[in-house]
Amino acid sequence: MAEALVHHESPVEFFRDLVESALQRQHLSAREGTSFYLVNLLAGFVHGDRSKSSDDEPLGVRFVKALQEAGARQRDELRRVGDRSLFISGFFADSLSRSLVDVDYYIQLGEHAYGSLARQADGSFGDVFDELAGKFAAFVDVLGEVSERTAMASNADLLRLYEKWLRTRSRRSGNLLASRGIVPNASIGSRFIQ
């Protein structure tokens, strides 16, 4: 019986299954390299891969500083900003509604960071960063689903989910609301959220 409770898989194997199933459920196509990148991003955060410098510095400031760098240092910093933006907006979108900056800030920041990387990179990594930039909000939804599937929490608060949908117009958030019997109203703007 104890064997059924213990899984002997690496974080990469664990997240690969979750990311692939989330991509399928959301009918989102992604290059193999991009889905592999997402899996490794999640596994890296499990292992505590954190940049050594300026972790407490706001991501917007880190982004501006990265743009002032050159070469490999610039690419590394842009990747860190994009990765952190994607992880935060995917895993912690609900808590962002109670902070000074909202999920849409992180989405825009991540799109720009990966977009800058795509223009600099060549080969398959250029394609990966281009896809991450172009489908950033959709990949936030993928990570959001992974977060929900790995959480030990109860059902999501519908009001928070609706507020998230109002801010992002996320197809996935809209589908979750609809599955709970709530029809999102696109005529309501986010300016009404306090």
Side-chain angles (χ1 to χ4, degrees):
M1 181 169 191
E3 291 180 71
L5 296 175
V6 178
H7 295 280
H8 297 286
E9 61 186 350
S10 70
V12 170
E13 293 168 322
F14 175 74
F15 285 119
R16 181 177 48 235
D17 293 340
L18 289 170
V19 166
E20 287 175 3
S21 64
L23 287 168
Q24 286 176 347
R25 268 192 293 286
Q26 295 181 33
H27 307 289
L28 179 63
S29 63
R31 291 183 172 99
E32 186 176 331
T34 306
S35 64
F36 184 71
Y37 189 91
L38 292 173
V39 168
N40 281 303
L41 171 89
L42 293 171
F45 278 101
V46 165
H47 289 300
D49 289 354
R50 298 175 55 113
S51 64
K52 296 176 183 101
S53 63
S54 60
D55 266 345
D56 295 332
E57 196 168 51
L59 279 179
V61 172
R62 291 179 70 183
F63 177 68
V64 170
K65 285 183 177 180
L67 291 175
Q68 295 170 351
E69 296 288 342
R73 174 109 172 117
Q74 182 183 53
R75 288 187 300 275
D76 289 345
E77 289 302 313
L78 286 170
R79 185 186 50 77
R80 284 186 186 105
V81 169
D83 290 353
R84 184 143 323 220
S85 296
L86 183 56
F87 183 73
I88 289 171
S89 56
F91 267 73
F92 303 108
D94 290 341
S95 64
L96 292 176
S97 64
R98 296 180 299 273
S99 68
L100 292 176
V101 293
D102 211 340
V103 67
D104 54 344
Y105 167 81
Y106 286 96
I107 289 172
Q108 290 179 359
L109 195 58
E111 287 172 345
H112 290 302
Y114 285 142
S116 296
L117 274 171
R119 289 187 291 278
Q120 295 178 26
D122 55 352
S124 62
F125 277 112
D127 292 341
V128 167
F129 292 128
D130 186 52
E131 186 170 32
L132 287 168
K135 298 178 181 177
F136 194 89
F139 290 130
V140 165
D141 282 347
V142 169
L143 266 59
E145 182 172 327
V146 170
S147 173
E148 290 168 7
R149 293 180 61 84
T150 58
M152 297 295 183
S154 62
N155 289 336
D157 179 13
L158 289 178
L159 180 58
R160 254 193 225 137
L161 182 61
Y162 195 81
E163 288 174 344
K164 178 181 175 184
W165 178 84
L166 284 172
R167 286 188 305 279
T168 64
R169 299 291 197 238
S170 160
R171 184 177 69 201
R172 180 173 173 277
S173 295
N175 289 340
L176 286 173
L177 286 167
S179 73
R180 289 172 172 88
I182 297 174
V183 179
N185 184 348
S187 67
I188 297 176
S190 61
R191 66 181 188 273
F192 297 114
I193 305 253
Q194 298 295 322

